[in-house]
Every structure is written in C-alpha cells, then in structure tokens.
Amino acid sequence: MKVAQYGTTIVVIHAIAHGLHGLAHEEIPIPLSLLQSVFVGVVILLVPIIAAVLLWTQFDRIGSWLLLYSMVAAILFGIYNHKKNSGMRETQRF
C-alpha cells in the first residue's frame, strides 16, 4: 500500500513538472521531432500513469518496474536532449 501511495505521488509530481516543462518549451520555442514527441507522449507521460494505476492492483510489481523504467528513460532523454541542444547553441554562438 505504501509503495502505491509513494508511486502515485511521484507520478503526480512528475506530471506537474512535465506540464511546466512543456510550457517552457512552448515559450522558448524548442520544437520536438515527431519521434521525440511520440516518445514524450508515450514513455514520459502515458507509461507513468499506467504504472500508477497498476500499483493499486494485483499487478503492483509490474507497475513498479514500469514506473522505474519510465523515470529512467525520462531522465536519460532529458539529459541527452538538453546536452545536445546546449551544445548546438554554443556552436551557433561562434
């Protein structure tokens, strides 16, 4: 039960952060490719919600692993793409 509560809290915080981050990308205009948009929509937004639902069922173990993998994928995606974009801005400066 505690795992489900903690996991759901993480997913809610993640969804809020995702929404705010998306607004920042709209304001700055940093477009995503179609593949990146699908990845963000499915792996970063949808899978954690599915995982949170599973945490409250008999499939809680699957939900835990899904949540872990989606959070790791989200952070790796963010690190890679932010590093890539910051490198491009530094290059364009010269």
Side-chain angles (χ1 to χ4, degrees), residues 7 12 15 19 21 26-27 36-38 48 53-54 58 62-64 69 72-73 80 86 88 91:
V12 169
H21 192 88
E26 288 295 320
E27 194 66 31
Q36 288 172 320
S37 294
V38 169
V53 171
L54 290 175
Q58 63 186 3
I62 294 170
S64 297
Y69 288 138
V72 169
Y80 174 77
S86 70
M88 289 173 58
T91 304

Side-chain angles (χ1 to χ4, degrees), residues 31-41 77 80-81 84-85:
L32 295 176
S33 70
L34 177 62
L35 184 60
Q36 288 172 320
S37 294
V38 169
F39 184 86
V40 167
F77 178 86
Y80 174 77
N81 284 291
K84 181 180 77 168
N85 286 334

Side-chain angles (χ1 to χ4, degrees), residues 40-77:
V40 167
V42 173
V43 176
I44 297 178
L45 187 60
L46 186 62
V47 171
I49 293 169
I50 293 169
V53 171
L54 290 175
L55 289 174
W56 293 95
T57 69
Q58 63 186 3
F59 303 107
D60 58 330
R61 198 172 200 87
I62 294 170
S64 297
W65 284 109
L66 271 178
L67 183 57
L68 174 67
Y69 288 138
S70 67
M71 294 294 109
V72 169
I75 196 71
L76 292 176
F77 178 86

